Amino acid sequence: MKLKYLILSSVLAWLPMTSAIAAGQVEVLHWWTSSGEAKSVKILKHMMEQQGHSWKDFAVAGGGGESAMTVLKMRAVSGNPPTAAQLKGHDIQEWGRLGFLTSLDSVAQQEHWDNVLSPVVANIMKYNGHYVAVPINVHRVNWLWVNPKVLKAVGVKVPTTLAEFFIAADKIKAAGFVVLAHGGQPWQDATLFESIALAVLGSADYRKAFVDLDMTVINSDKMVNVFRQFKHMKAYIDPQAEGRHWNAATEMVIDGQAAMQFMGDWAKGEFAQAGQQPGKDYLCVPAPGTQHQFTFNIDSLAFFKLKGTEADNIAQYDLAKTLLMPSFQRVFNLNKGSIPVRLDMDMSAFDQCALDSMTTFKQASLSGDLVPSFSQNLATTADVQSAIVDVVSEFFNQADSNPILAPSRLARAIKSAI
């Protein structure tokens, strides 16, 4: 409890008091409703109130935000959008094309956003070259979570390539453990497929396939190999996986029922809640074959054109500025398991998983190995993403699916969704 108040005090100490004359209201639509996320929203509320503004929470429960998007569309069409809404990827571009978003360029220039953000991230936040959204964090999706006690009991090392993974997997399975904790849900199938695709295709061809939708790569022999390696994973998942939620799969690794799990860094919160320490009770390592690559997912808020008072406009700009302040970046990401989006952050409060993630994020930003996650809606449109996930999940769960035929099926599905 004492630590909680110390963190809050340190956050508030960063903030200048704003005169009551400039006081406005911010209304933020989001679906950050889990315990860690809710703590961060509460901190943001305090930070805005410290600047003299009032906070109107607009939380809509629902993991992927589908319900929130329905509500947002109704509000926007009726001419009463919120100050900001949780949007990401291509959704930002779509709302920009519809003319609903406001420019944040004045705040961005004042706060030097182009200097503290990766160009890859900054470009996603812009529409027609103008900032219209603010990134809050970066999730790394291509993680492998490992129970080291299981691997030690079997006598295998942490796999660094897909070939090493399958060799270790056979030994783990023979010893009576579940090799791969997995939930039989389409988005989890896609998350697993995505890491295998990154390992087999490499960053350049991954981007061509899932960002550029290059049919030459999609119909290539390399993509056949992606599906073949993906199908091979099925042999190491327990029969009860169907419908299992991702956090239940993580618990299997925590409890020692399973050896490993492919999942984004939001899984770290489950280990932390169980009182486990990284490097000791569990390992966070890159998905086999993707050591220097980084598949990213970004939480962000897009800002809407307002018809309110000048004070509300000032409050909107203060909100945009506050989201990228180091104080909020620190507390939000410590709670969420992700890493700060700022490249100049002091990372001393973060654990080794986050430190490794930040190091790879910076290196990948320069090397071209920073790629958007299609499984988490960052790489392409919602329609194309849905088409890819459907094909991938159906292939994975059909006993007689053929890797040779899968790429052409994927190509047809994508073409129909474009």
Side-chain angles (χ1 to χ4, degrees):
M1 184 64 68
K2 184 181 292 184
L3 178 61
K4 176 181 176 182
Y5 286 120
L6 286 174
I7 291 175
L8 178 58
S9 299
S10 66
V11 167
L12 298 182
W14 280 76
L15 298 171
M17 290 299 293
T18 304
S19 66
I21 298 175
Q25 177 178 272
V26 294
E27 182 183 19
V28 180
L29 184 151
H30 63 89
W31 55 93
W32 290 315
T33 54
S34 71
S35 58
E37 293 167 340
K39 289 178 184 178
S40 299
V41 172
K42 188 175 181 179
I43 292 291
L44 182 58
K45 175 185 176 182
H46 279 296
M47 294 176 80
M48 293 304 297
E49 290 174 345
Q50 186 73 5
Q51 296 175 75
H53 305 301
S54 62
W55 174 277
K56 185 177 181 181
D57 203 46
F58 190 179
V60 180
E66 292 84 1
S67 298
M69 290 303 97
T70 300
V71 176
L72 177 60
K73 289 173 184 176
M74 292 169 53
R75 286 280 304 270
V77 170
S78 66
N80 183 35
T83 306
Q86 189 178 349
L87 295 175
K88 63 182 182 180
H90 284 256
D91 286 341
I92 296 173
Q93 303 304 308
E94 182 61 27
W95 282 95
R97 280 191 291 271
L98 294 172
F100 285 103
L101 303 183
T102 190
S103 173
L104 301 173
D105 286 348
S106 60
V107 183
Q109 292 168 6
Q110 177 186 344
E111 299 297 313
H112 309 291
W113 288 357
D114 280 340
N115 295 333
V116 299
L117 297 176
S118 160
V120 173
V121 174
N123 288 337
I124 295 173
M125 300 301 120
K126 296 177 181 179
Y127 174 71
N128 279 349
H130 301 284
Y131 278 101
V132 293
V134 182
I136 304 171
N137 66 337
V138 177
H139 283 293
R140 188 182 189 184
V141 183
N142 60 312
W143 278 119
L144 182 71
W145 304 91
V146 180
N147 186 314
K149 293 179 182 178
V150 173
L151 267 61
K152 184 178 181 180
V154 177
V156 297
K157 296 181 179 180
V158 176
T160 59
T161 67
L162 287 173
E164 289 178 2
F165 175 88
F166 292 122
I167 292 172
D170 287 334
K171 294 179 180 179
I172 294 168
K173 185 177 181 180
F177 294 96
V178 174
V179 178
L180 202 56
H182 187 72
Q185 296 174 319
W187 76 268
Q188 292 190 62
D189 296 339
T191 301
L192 174 59
F193 178 87
E194 179 177 86
S195 286
I196 296 170
L198 184 62
V200 174
L201 297 177
S203 301
D205 279 349
Y206 171 97
R207 191 177 292 106
K208 288 179 182 178
F210 302 113
V211 179
D212 301 335
L213 308 179
D214 185 326
M215 291 299 155
T216 302
V217 175
I218 291 171
N219 282 301
S220 68
D221 290 340
K222 290 177 73 173
M223 189 63 76
V224 171
N225 192 26
V226 172
F227 278 98
R228 182 176 289 117
Q229 304 272 26
F230 178 52
K231 188 68 172 182
H232 196 176
M233 292 284 177
K234 189 73 172 179
Y236 305 109
I237 297 171
D238 66 294
Q240 289 75 42
E242 184 177 355
R244 179 187 292 142
H245 291 290
W246 69 268
N247 53 318
T250 306
E251 288 175 10
M252 293 174 64
V253 179
I254 293 171
D255 296 339
Q257 298 176 49
M260 295 173 276
Q261 180 189 22
F262 286 80
M263 188 53 60
D265 55 17
W266 48 88
K268 187 169 62 174
E270 300 301 310
F271 290 98
Q273 189 172 346
Q276 297 206 332
Q277 298 296 318
K280 178 184 176 183
D281 302 305
Y282 70 95
L283 305 177
C284 48
V285 298
T290 69
Q291 278 73 8
H292 305 295
Q293 297 159 292
F294 194 113
T295 314
F296 67 85
N297 181 26
I298 301 172
D299 286 316
S300 54
L301 290 181
F303 284 68
F304 285 75
K305 293 177 180 177
L306 300 178
K307 296 180 180 179
T309 65
E310 180 61 26
D312 288 340
N313 289 326
I314 293 172
Q316 184 181 55
Y317 277 48
D318 284 345
L319 173 62
K321 180 173 63 176
T322 302
L323 290 169
L324 274 178
M325 290 178 64
S327 51
F328 181 69
Q329 285 279 299
R330 181 174 62 251
V331 70
F332 183 89
N333 288 285
L334 283 172
N335 284 335
K336 202 160 189 297
S338 46
I339 60 172
V341 75
R342 293 182 65 112
L343 297 175
D344 62 347
M345 280 290 295
D346 174 7
M347 296 290 290
S348 59
F350 290 81
D351 63 26
Q352 192 60 50
C353 295
L355 295 176
D356 292 346
S357 186
M358 178 61 87
T359 297
T360 306
F361 175 65
K362 290 181 177 180
Q363 293 172 345
S365 297
L366 300 174
S367 66
D369 290 311
L370 184 64
V371 298
S373 166
F374 81 76
S375 70
Q376 307 302 314
N377 305 342
L378 259 292
T380 186
T381 65
D383 289 341
V384 172
Q385 188 259 0
S386 179
I388 296 173
V389 172
D390 287 347
V391 170
V392 165
S393 186
E394 182 181 354
F395 169 86
F396 196 55
N397 293 291
Q398 284 187 343
D400 60 349
S401 56
N402 188 337
I404 296 175
L405 302 178
S408 60
R409 184 171 297 174
L410 179 62
R412 288 196 301 271
I414 291 173
K415 287 178 181 178
S416 68
I418 295 176

